[in-house]
mmCIF file of all heavy atoms in Angstrom:
data_model
loop_
_atom_site.group_PDB
_atom_site.id
_atom_site.type_symbol
_atom_site.label_atom_id
_atom_site.label_comp_id
_atom_site.label_asym_id
_atom_site.label_seq_id
_atom_site.Cartn_x
_atom_site.Cartn_y
_atom_site.Cartn_z
ATOM 1 N N GLN A 1 113.300 85.422 85.116
ATOM 2 C CA GLN A 1 113.347 85.688 86.548
ATOM 3 C C GLN A 1 112.185 84.988 87.266
ATOM 4 O O GLN A 1 111.124 84.760 86.694
ATOM 5 C CB GLN A 1 113.277 87.198 86.804
ATOM 6 C CG GLN A 1 114.399 87.981 86.136
ATOM 7 C CD GLN A 1 115.764 87.530 86.615
ATOM 8 O OE1 GLN A 1 116.017 87.436 87.827
ATOM 9 N NE2 GLN A 1 116.671 87.241 85.680
ATOM 10 N N VAL A 2 112.425 84.670 88.533
ATOM 11 C CA VAL A 2 111.393 84.011 89.326
ATOM 12 C C VAL A 2 110.224 84.964 89.569
ATOM 13 O O VAL A 2 109.054 84.597 89.468
ATOM 14 C CB VAL A 2 111.973 83.529 90.679
ATOM 15 C CG1 VAL A 2 110.871 82.959 91.566
ATOM 16 C CG2 VAL A 2 113.066 82.496 90.427
ATOM 17 N N GLU A 3 110.553 86.240 89.878
ATOM 18 C CA GLU A 3 109.516 87.232 90.127
ATOM 19 C C GLU A 3 109.125 87.935 88.841
ATOM 20 O O GLU A 3 109.923 88.059 87.907
ATOM 21 C CB GLU A 3 110.011 88.270 91.147
ATOM 22 C CG GLU A 3 110.249 87.715 92.537
ATOM 23 C CD GLU A 3 110.666 88.802 93.511
ATOM 24 O OE1 GLU A 3 111.462 89.682 93.106
ATOM 25 O OE2 GLU A 3 110.215 88.780 94.659
ATOM 26 N N ASP A 4 107.886 88.374 88.786
ATOM 27 C CA ASP A 4 107.379 89.102 87.628
ATOM 28 C C ASP A 4 108.033 90.478 87.581
ATOM 29 O O ASP A 4 107.817 91.307 88.467
ATOM 30 C CB ASP A 4 105.859 89.242 87.741
ATOM 31 C CG ASP A 4 105.245 89.916 86.520
ATOM 32 O OD1 ASP A 4 105.999 90.360 85.632
ATOM 33 O OD2 ASP A 4 104.007 90.014 86.464
ATOM 34 N N GLN A 5 108.829 90.729 86.544
ATOM 35 C CA GLN A 5 109.553 91.988 86.469
ATOM 36 C C GLN A 5 108.676 93.160 86.037
ATOM 37 O O GLN A 5 109.137 94.296 85.971
ATOM 38 C CB GLN A 5 110.756 91.843 85.530
ATOM 39 C CG GLN A 5 111.805 90.891 86.043
ATOM 40 C CD GLN A 5 112.221 91.201 87.473
ATOM 41 O OE1 GLN A 5 112.751 92.262 87.764
ATOM 42 N NE2 GLN A 5 111.947 90.270 88.399
ATOM 43 N N ALA A 6 107.405 92.900 85.740
ATOM 44 C CA ALA A 6 106.488 94.008 85.456
ATOM 45 C C ALA A 6 106.194 94.800 86.724
ATOM 46 O O ALA A 6 105.824 95.968 86.662
ATOM 47 C CB ALA A 6 105.194 93.478 84.854
ATOM 48 N N VAL A 7 106.354 94.164 87.875
ATOM 49 C CA VAL A 7 106.038 94.838 89.136
ATOM 50 C C VAL A 7 107.211 94.828 90.118
ATOM 51 O O VAL A 7 107.121 95.426 91.186
ATOM 52 C CB VAL A 7 104.806 94.191 89.816
ATOM 53 C CG1 VAL A 7 103.565 94.408 88.996
ATOM 54 C CG2 VAL A 7 105.018 92.702 90.053
ATOM 55 N N ASN A 8 108.311 94.181 89.784
ATOM 56 C CA ASN A 8 109.470 94.117 90.678
ATOM 57 C C ASN A 8 110.711 94.609 89.948
ATOM 58 O O ASN A 8 111.121 94.029 88.941
ATOM 59 C CB ASN A 8 109.707 92.678 91.164
ATOM 60 C CG ASN A 8 108.589 92.185 92.050
ATOM 61 O OD1 ASN A 8 108.471 92.595 93.187
ATOM 62 N ND2 ASN A 8 107.755 91.313 91.500
ATOM 63 N N LEU A 9 111.323 95.673 90.460
ATOM 64 C CA LEU A 9 112.549 96.180 89.868
ATOM 65 C C LEU A 9 113.730 95.364 90.361
ATOM 66 O O LEU A 9 113.760 94.942 91.528
ATOM 67 C CB LEU A 9 112.751 97.649 90.238
ATOM 68 C CG LEU A 9 111.712 98.626 89.682
ATOM 69 C CD1 LEU A 9 111.978 100.032 90.208
ATOM 70 C CD2 LEU A 9 111.721 98.623 88.165
ATOM 71 N N PRO A 10 114.727 95.126 89.511
ATOM 72 C CA PRO A 10 115.902 94.364 89.959
ATOM 73 C C PRO A 10 116.687 95.139 91.005
ATOM 74 O O PRO A 10 116.776 96.372 90.938
ATOM 75 C CB PRO A 10 116.719 94.185 88.667
ATOM 76 C CG PRO A 10 116.242 95.260 87.748
ATOM 77 C CD PRO A 10 114.814 95.500 88.090
ATOM 78 N N PRO A 11 117.274 94.444 91.990
ATOM 79 C CA PRO A 11 118.006 95.138 93.063
ATOM 80 C C PRO A 11 119.250 95.858 92.562
ATOM 81 O O PRO A 11 119.706 96.822 93.181
ATOM 82 C CB PRO A 11 118.367 94.000 94.032
ATOM 83 C CG PRO A 11 118.299 92.753 93.205
ATOM 84 C CD PRO A 11 117.244 92.984 92.190
ATOM 85 N N ASN A 12 119.809 95.412 91.422
ATOM 86 C CA ASN A 12 121.008 96.050 90.872
ATOM 87 C C ASN A 12 120.664 96.938 89.683
ATOM 88 O O ASN A 12 121.408 97.006 88.693
ATOM 89 C CB ASN A 12 122.037 94.994 90.470
ATOM 90 C CG ASN A 12 121.502 94.044 89.394
ATOM 91 O OD1 ASN A 12 120.283 93.868 89.270
ATOM 92 N ND2 ASN A 12 122.409 93.438 88.629
ATOM 93 N N LEU A 13 119.539 97.632 89.771
ATOM 94 C CA LEU A 13 119.061 98.455 88.650
ATOM 95 C C LEU A 13 120.101 99.487 88.217
ATOM 96 O O LEU A 13 120.303 99.711 87.018
ATOM 97 C CB LEU A 13 117.755 99.159 89.046
ATOM 98 C CG LEU A 13 117.106 100.030 87.970
ATOM 99 C CD1 LEU A 13 116.689 99.195 86.768
ATOM 100 C CD2 LEU A 13 115.897 100.778 88.544
ATOM 101 N N ASN A 14 120.793 100.105 89.170
ATOM 102 C CA ASN A 14 121.783 101.134 88.832
ATOM 103 C C ASN A 14 122.938 100.570 88.012
ATOM 104 O O ASN A 14 123.551 101.291 87.212
ATOM 105 C CB ASN A 14 122.323 101.793 90.104
ATOM 106 C CG ASN A 14 121.271 102.657 90.791
ATOM 107 O OD1 ASN A 14 120.352 103.134 90.129
ATOM 108 N ND2 ASN A 14 121.404 102.848 92.097
ATOM 109 N N GLU A 15 123.257 99.293 88.203
ATOM 110 C CA GLU A 15 124.320 98.666 87.407
ATOM 111 C C GLU A 15 123.837 98.342 86.001
ATOM 112 O O GLU A 15 124.608 98.382 85.042
ATOM 113 C CB GLU A 15 124.789 97.376 88.092
ATOM 114 C CG GLU A 15 125.372 97.577 89.482
ATOM 115 C CD GLU A 15 125.678 96.238 90.145
ATOM 116 O OE1 GLU A 15 125.730 95.223 89.425
ATOM 117 O OE2 GLU A 15 125.846 96.220 91.391
ATOM 118 N N LEU A 16 122.550 98.018 85.870
ATOM 119 C CA LEU A 16 122.022 97.580 84.582
ATOM 120 C C LEU A 16 121.716 98.743 83.651
ATOM 121 O O LEU A 16 121.895 98.643 82.432
ATOM 122 C CB LEU A 16 120.747 96.758 84.804
ATOM 123 C CG LEU A 16 120.886 95.489 85.653
ATOM 124 C CD1 LEU A 16 119.522 94.859 85.896
ATOM 125 C CD2 LEU A 16 121.816 94.495 84.959
ATOM 126 N N VAL A 17 121.233 99.846 84.199
ATOM 127 C CA VAL A 17 120.781 100.975 83.384
ATOM 128 C C VAL A 17 121.753 102.138 83.527
ATOM 129 O O VAL A 17 121.981 102.638 84.636
ATOM 130 C CB VAL A 17 119.360 101.418 83.816
ATOM 131 C CG1 VAL A 17 118.916 102.621 82.996
ATOM 132 C CG2 VAL A 17 118.373 100.274 83.666
ATOM 133 N N GLN A 18 122.346 102.535 82.397
ATOM 134 C CA GLN A 18 123.276 103.662 82.413
ATOM 135 C C GLN A 18 122.630 104.968 81.939
ATOM 136 O O GLN A 18 123.027 106.049 82.324
ATOM 137 C CB GLN A 18 124.488 103.377 81.503
ATOM 138 C CG GLN A 18 125.510 102.425 82.116
ATOM 139 C CD GLN A 18 125.068 100.971 82.011
ATOM 140 O OE1 GLN A 18 124.635 100.531 80.952
ATOM 141 N NE2 GLN A 18 125.160 100.237 83.098
ATOM 142 N N ASN A 19 121.611 104.859 81.105
ATOM 143 C CA ASN A 19 120.996 106.066 80.543
ATOM 144 C C ASN A 19 119.501 105.826 80.361
ATOM 145 O O ASN A 19 119.095 105.059 79.507
ATOM 146 C CB ASN A 19 121.654 106.416 79.201
ATOM 147 C CG ASN A 19 121.114 107.713 78.625
ATOM 148 O OD1 ASN A 19 120.220 108.335 79.198
ATOM 149 N ND2 ASN A 19 121.660 108.124 77.496
ATOM 150 N N ALA A 20 118.702 106.489 81.175
ATOM 151 C CA ALA A 20 117.251 106.302 81.104
ATOM 152 C C ALA A 20 116.535 107.580 80.686
ATOM 153 O O ALA A 20 115.392 107.808 81.029
ATOM 154 C CB ALA A 20 116.721 105.833 82.452
ATOM 155 N N THR A 21 117.237 108.452 79.956
ATOM 156 C CA THR A 21 116.620 109.701 79.521
ATOM 157 C C THR A 21 115.785 109.460 78.269
ATOM 158 O O THR A 21 116.063 108.561 77.473
ATOM 159 C CB THR A 21 117.682 110.762 79.220
ATOM 160 O OG1 THR A 21 118.556 110.273 78.189
ATOM 161 C CG2 THR A 21 118.498 111.074 80.461
ATOM 162 N N TYR A 22 114.756 110.266 78.096
ATOM 163 C CA TYR A 22 113.870 110.166 76.938
ATOM 164 C C TYR A 22 113.771 111.531 76.273
ATOM 165 O O TYR A 22 113.655 112.556 76.946
ATOM 166 C CB TYR A 22 112.473 109.709 77.361
ATOM 167 C CG TYR A 22 112.443 108.338 77.994
ATOM 168 C CD1 TYR A 22 112.570 108.197 79.374
ATOM 169 C CD2 TYR A 22 112.291 107.188 77.228
ATOM 170 C CE1 TYR A 22 112.549 106.942 79.967
ATOM 171 C CE2 TYR A 22 112.258 105.933 77.808
ATOM 172 C CZ TYR A 22 112.385 105.821 79.174
ATOM 173 O OH TYR A 22 112.362 104.579 79.762
ATOM 174 N N VAL A 23 113.777 111.530 74.972
ATOM 175 C CA VAL A 23 113.606 112.772 74.215
ATOM 176 C C VAL A 23 112.118 113.075 74.118
ATOM 177 O O VAL A 23 111.315 112.200 73.789
ATOM 178 C CB VAL A 23 114.218 112.634 72.803
ATOM 179 C CG1 VAL A 23 113.973 113.907 71.988
ATOM 180 C CG2 VAL A 23 115.715 112.341 72.909
ATOM 181 N N GLN A 24 111.728 114.321 74.429
ATOM 182 C CA GLN A 24 110.324 114.704 74.365
ATOM 183 C C GLN A 24 109.840 114.680 72.921
ATOM 184 O O GLN A 24 110.455 115.271 72.040
ATOM 185 C CB GLN A 24 110.134 116.113 74.946
ATOM 186 C CG GLN A 24 108.712 116.628 74.918
ATOM 187 C CD GLN A 24 107.819 116.006 75.972
ATOM 188 O OE1 GLN A 24 108.302 115.304 76.841
ATOM 189 N NE2 GLN A 24 106.533 116.275 75.905
ATOM 190 N N SER A 25 108.744 113.971 72.680
ATOM 191 C CA SER A 25 108.173 113.877 71.342
ATOM 192 C C SER A 25 107.435 115.171 70.985
ATOM 193 O O SER A 25 107.089 115.960 71.868
ATOM 194 C CB SER A 25 107.204 112.694 71.264
ATOM 195 O OG SER A 25 107.856 111.494 71.606
ATOM 196 N N PRO A 26 107.148 115.387 69.698
ATOM 197 C CA PRO A 26 106.429 116.597 69.284
ATOM 198 C C PRO A 26 105.035 116.659 69.910
ATOM 199 O O PRO A 26 104.413 115.627 70.204
ATOM 200 C CB PRO A 26 106.326 116.449 67.756
ATOM 201 C CG PRO A 26 107.400 115.478 67.380
ATOM 202 C CD PRO A 26 107.558 114.560 68.545
ATOM 203 N N ASP A 27 104.540 117.881 70.101
ATOM 204 C CA ASP A 27 103.243 118.080 70.760
ATOM 205 C C ASP A 27 102.111 117.325 70.070
ATOM 206 O O ASP A 27 101.222 116.786 70.730
ATOM 207 C CB ASP A 27 102.888 119.572 70.820
ATOM 208 C CG ASP A 27 103.641 120.291 71.925
ATOM 209 O OD1 ASP A 27 104.305 119.608 72.733
ATOM 210 O OD2 ASP A 27 103.542 121.529 71.986
ATOM 211 N N ASN A 28 102.123 117.292 68.751
ATOM 212 C CA ASN A 28 101.014 116.642 68.045
ATOM 213 C C ASN A 28 100.964 115.141 68.320
ATOM 214 O O ASN A 28 99.919 114.509 68.175
ATOM 215 C CB ASN A 28 101.104 116.912 66.542
ATOM 216 C CG ASN A 28 102.326 116.276 65.912
ATOM 217 O OD1 ASN A 28 103.390 116.224 66.514
ATOM 218 N ND2 ASN A 28 102.176 115.806 64.691
ATOM 219 N N LEU A 29 102.098 114.557 68.746
ATOM 220 C CA LEU A 29 102.112 113.157 69.163
ATOM 221 C C LEU A 29 101.803 113.026 70.651
ATOM 222 O O LEU A 29 100.988 112.205 71.059
ATOM 223 C CB LEU A 29 103.472 112.526 68.864
ATOM 224 C CG LEU A 29 103.839 112.333 67.387
ATOM 225 C CD1 LEU A 29 105.220 111.720 67.280
ATOM 226 C CD2 LEU A 29 102.808 111.435 66.698
ATOM 227 N N VAL A 30 102.452 113.861 71.464
ATOM 228 C CA VAL A 30 102.311 113.758 72.922
ATOM 229 C C VAL A 30 100.866 113.915 73.357
ATOM 230 O O VAL A 30 100.337 113.129 74.145
ATOM 231 C CB VAL A 30 103.179 114.818 73.624
ATOM 232 C CG1 VAL A 30 102.866 114.880 75.122
ATOM 233 C CG2 VAL A 30 104.657 114.514 73.412
ATOM 234 N N TRP A 31 100.176 114.916 72.821
ATOM 235 C CA TRP A 31 98.853 115.259 73.338
ATOM 236 C C TRP A 31 97.754 114.336 72.832
ATOM 237 O O TRP A 31 96.596 114.476 73.225
ATOM 238 C CB TRP A 31 98.541 116.726 73.059
ATOM 239 C CG TRP A 31 99.351 117.609 73.948
ATOM 240 C CD1 TRP A 31 100.639 118.014 73.743
ATOM 241 C CD2 TRP A 31 98.966 118.140 75.217
ATOM 242 N NE1 TRP A 31 101.082 118.774 74.792
ATOM 243 C CE2 TRP A 31 100.071 118.876 75.712
ATOM 244 C CE3 TRP A 31 97.804 118.077 75.981
ATOM 245 C CZ2 TRP A 31 100.033 119.537 76.945
ATOM 246 C CZ3 TRP A 31 97.760 118.740 77.201
ATOM 247 C CH2 TRP A 31 98.863 119.457 77.668
ATOM 248 N N GLN A 32 98.095 113.373 71.987
ATOM 249 C CA GLN A 32 97.143 112.306 71.672
ATOM 250 C C GLN A 32 97.017 111.325 72.834
ATOM 251 O O GLN A 32 96.009 110.632 72.962
ATOM 252 C CB GLN A 32 97.600 111.534 70.429
ATOM 253 C CG GLN A 32 97.571 112.328 69.142
ATOM 254 C CD GLN A 32 98.006 111.472 67.976
ATOM 255 O OE1 GLN A 32 97.465 110.388 67.743
ATOM 256 N NE2 GLN A 32 99.000 111.929 67.241
ATOM 257 N N TYR A 33 98.070 111.277 73.670
ATOM 258 C CA TYR A 33 98.153 110.258 74.709
ATOM 259 C C TYR A 33 98.327 110.830 76.118
ATOM 260 O O TYR A 33 98.328 110.083 77.091
ATOM 261 C CB TYR A 33 99.331 109.322 74.424
ATOM 262 C CG TYR A 33 99.356 108.815 73.010
ATOM 263 C CD1 TYR A 33 100.246 109.321 72.070
ATOM 264 C CD2 TYR A 33 98.450 107.845 72.585
ATOM 265 C CE1 TYR A 33 100.251 108.851 70.764
ATOM 266 C CE2 TYR A 33 98.447 107.381 71.286
ATOM 267 C CZ TYR A 33 99.359 107.889 70.381
ATOM 268 O OH TYR A 33 99.357 107.428 69.088
#
């Protein structure tokens, strides 16, 4: 892409991404970060 996608979201994001859910990791992993 011409623009840096680290800071610019694509205008058709809803078409590209169907599932953006994340499973919560165990506490012993989460609380390290």
Side-chain angles (χ1 to χ4, degrees):
Q1 301 300 310
V2 175
E3 294 183 320
D4 184 355
Q5 294 309 297
V7 294
N8 294 287
L9 295 176
N12 61 335
L13 182 63
N14 290 335
E15 299 174 16
L16 300 174
V17 178
Q18 283 79 47
N19 184 358
T21 59
Y22 298 91
V23 177
Q24 179 75 9
S25 302
D27 282 352
N28 66 323
L29 292 179
V30 171
W31 287 83
Q32 293 181 54
Y33 311 104

